[in-house]
Amino acid sequence: MAAYVPQLKTMYREQIIPALTKQFGYKSIMQVPKLEKIVINQGMGQAVADKKLIEVAQQELSIIAGQKAVQTRSRKDISNFKLRKGMPIGVRVTLRGDKMYEFMQRLVAVALPRVRDFQGIKEKFDGHGNYTMGITEQIIFPEIDIDKITKIFGMEITFVTTTESDEEAYALLQEFGLPFKNAKKRGA
């Protein structure tokens, strides 16, 4: 029996590598940009007042990602925000390998189409080939039971690629199916 391989991983090997090689003229498949990891982050400013919010967010993010989320802690004291060094202020999870491809598939095929009045995602890259998108509600993921939600949390999803070029990263993520607002047609 063959081992399970995520659909997007197969698609990357069979369709995306040849398409990007043709578009950018790579001489070797090792030059083709890869998706290195996906980092999902939730900043929880309200957690300073209510400690249970962090635990709830950690459980929800673990369910969404399919991997245990970890708490992020403050690095220094900030008296204006009643923040002490070491207090939990958010949760995050880093996905690599098969879990990364599975999460991306669910994001593109299931979660993003559930966003109300969805127009596509903005194409703002960081200048180093990485892309971060914001999601305002965690309830777009089908794994979350809407009846058990106490508070709506937003999150940032960062796609880290192996390229330094925003243009190549844009082409890679577009091939993976991310619905950018002003998507340029292939070969244009």
Side-chain angles (χ1 to χ4, degrees):
M1 190 167 130
Y4 169 73
V5 178
Q7 191 177 0
L8 280 183
K9 192 174 192 179
T10 307
M11 187 175 118
Y12 175 74
R13 275 196 227 115
E14 295 173 1
Q15 296 171 6
I16 297 175
I17 289 177
L20 292 178
T21 302
K22 182 180 173 189
Q23 185 177 350
F24 293 102
Y26 299 121
K27 306 243 183 305
S28 161
I29 63 166
M30 297 304 288
Q31 291 178 302
V32 179
K34 291 186 199 84
L35 192 59
E36 223 173 81
K37 62 185 174 182
I38 296 176
V39 181
I40 310 167
N41 179 39
Q42 285 183 319
M44 307 290 296
Q46 313 97 333
V48 174
D50 187 0
K51 303 281 185 260
K52 286 191 175 171
L53 284 179
I54 283 285
E55 292 166 12
V56 169
Q58 189 174 7
Q59 287 173 344
E60 287 180 355
L61 192 57
S62 296
I63 290 168
I64 289 170
Q67 183 174 309
K68 189 173 189 315
V70 295
Q71 294 183 2
T72 53
R73 300 190 173 272
S74 63
R75 294 190 189 137
K76 56 185 175 183
D77 298 340
I78 303 173
S79 61
N80 291 352
F81 298 124
K82 296 181 180 146
L83 194 63
R84 299 275 166 251
K85 185 176 183 178
M87 285 178 80
I89 55 169
V91 290
R92 75 157 193 258
V93 64
T94 302
L95 302 171
R96 298 173 196 271
D98 289 352
K99 287 191 178 183
M100 170 186 73
Y101 287 112
E102 287 171 8
F103 172 78
M104 186 159 187
Q105 170 115 27
R106 281 182 298 152
L107 177 72
V108 171
V110 180
L112 288 178
R114 292 178 69 169
V115 174
R116 196 176 313 130
D117 300 329
F118 186 64
Q119 302 288 319
I121 53 179
K122 292 186 178 112
E123 42 195 87
K124 287 191 92 171
F125 285 79
D126 68 350
H128 298 285
N130 305 316
Y131 176 71
T132 301
M133 65 180 279
I135 292 182
T136 54
E137 304 174 328
Q138 82 275 32
I139 58 175
I140 66 168
F141 291 96
E143 297 87 356
I144 299 297
D145 185 5
I146 295 175
D147 299 332
K148 295 180 181 173
I149 295 297
T150 54
K151 195 159 175 68
I152 299 286
F153 301 122
M155 64 182 72
E156 286 184 337
I157 302 173
T158 303
F159 300 91
V160 180
T161 65
T162 55
T163 181
E164 286 288 313
S165 158
D166 287 348
E167 182 187 353
E168 292 174 23
Y170 175 82
L172 173 69
L173 293 176
Q174 190 179 7
E175 289 288 334
F176 270 122
L178 278 185
F180 289 104
K181 271 188 181 161
N182 304 324
K184 299 169 193 124
K185 297 289 178 232
R186 230 185 265 164

